[in-house]
Amino acid sequence: MKKQYRHIFFDLDRTLWDFDKNSHETLHEIFTDKKLYELGFSFEAFYKVYHEINAHYWENYCLGNLDKETLRYIRFYDTLTRFGIDNKEQAISIGNDYVNHSPRKTGLLPAAIETLTYLKEKYTLHIITNGFEEVQHIKMHSSGIAHFFEHIITSERAGHKKPTPEIFRFSLKLAGAKRKESIMIGDHLEIDCVGARQTGIDSVFFNPGKVPHGEKITYEIASLEELKGFL
């Protein structure tokens, strides 16, 4: 028997907003504007190192081991030091430019608008994100998807980060939603899907890369369009 949901909670980055494309474009612009190529390394090399370092620090931020202000610059500071550049001021400048320009990029994942339009007619939609409060709102307005959502819940607003049960409970209470009537959709297996499951909420693992795993997930999709098949 098909389960009747009333509330759908979406992650934002890499689920709806094309984080990788938008981040890549922004970093390339910064690399060019600041003439970082004059320091003796290519953008491709810079981006590869940054991508690795950022993933490490973002994981620590989500675990509560790093504050927002430190995250903003240290990921760039460590990237530059990999290339022999020890310049904290430059790292801070790059970090500020990135946070100011990246959220204004408008790239969305394929079929995001069409899928949200379809779902909006049947469900109440919300966002739960670990992204920065001010940044996530800009992303959603710039990309034209803010109007689809009743509530935009950031970890800063909730006082807790995914995958802790507290942020999911906060979101349910704010939305006036019951666990059994709710479902969480996200691209991060542990943070979005396992976190939701541990709070008693069904989940959809958005897995476009079809990465193998052993977790018990309610649904799994490789494209957003697949949501129409069961929602």
Side-chain angles (χ1 to χ4, degrees), residues 151-164:
H151 295 289
I152 300 170
I153 301 127
T154 65
S155 55
E156 289 180 277
R157 181 181 183 187
H160 301 277
K161 300 182 183 71
K162 294 180 293 183
T164 63

Side-chain angles (χ1 to χ4, degrees), residues 95-208:
N96 288 339
D97 284 355
Y98 179 77
V99 170
N100 287 333
H101 298 301
S102 177
R104 290 176 170 78
K105 294 291 182 180
T106 60
L108 296 171
L109 272 296
I113 294 292
E114 296 85 347
T115 302
L116 290 173
T117 300
Y118 165 81
L119 294 174
K120 179 68 172 175
E121 294 181 356
K122 303 172 66 178
Y123 306 95
T124 303
L125 310 182
H126 314 277
I127 289 285
I128 307 179
T129 172
N130 281 349
F132 303 155
E133 175 79 21
E134 67 278 15
V135 169
Q136 301 302 74
H137 284 272
I138 294 172
K139 287 178 182 177
M140 295 182 66
H141 284 284
S142 296
S143 59
I145 62 172
H147 69 283
F148 287 108
F149 299 95
E150 185 72 20
H151 295 289
I152 300 170
I153 301 127
T154 65
S155 55
E156 289 180 277
R157 181 181 183 187
H160 301 277
K161 300 182 183 71
K162 294 180 293 183
T164 63
E166 287 84 359
I167 189 170
F168 291 102
R169 291 172 189 152
F170 176 92
S171 301
L172 289 170
K173 184 176 181 180
L174 184 66
K178 297 178 180 179
R179 288 177 174 84
K180 64 181 181 179
E181 299 174 339
S182 304
I183 191 165
M184 175 74 199
I185 302 170
D187 71 292
H188 198 295
L189 186 60
E190 290 80 18
I191 289 177
D192 296 314
C193 299
V194 176
R197 186 186 71 205
Q198 292 175 341
T199 318
I201 301 170
D202 285 354
S203 66
V204 181
F205 179 31
F206 177 49
N207 186 15

Side-chain angles (χ1 to χ4, degrees), residues 49-58 74-75 78-79 82:
V49 171
Y50 168 78
H51 191 269
E52 171 193 330
I53 289 173
N54 182 58
H56 166 74
Y57 278 124
W58 186 259
I74 199 168
R75 50 190 174 177
D78 279 14
T79 300
R82 287 275 191 98

Side-chain angles (χ1 to χ4, degrees), residues 25-42:
E25 286 182 3
T26 304
L27 289 169
H28 191 272
E29 291 166 2
I30 293 171
F31 189 89
T32 302
D33 291 344
K34 292 188 176 299
K35 299 181 179 180
L36 297 181
Y37 51 81
E38 293 181 351
L39 299 176
F41 50 87
S42 67

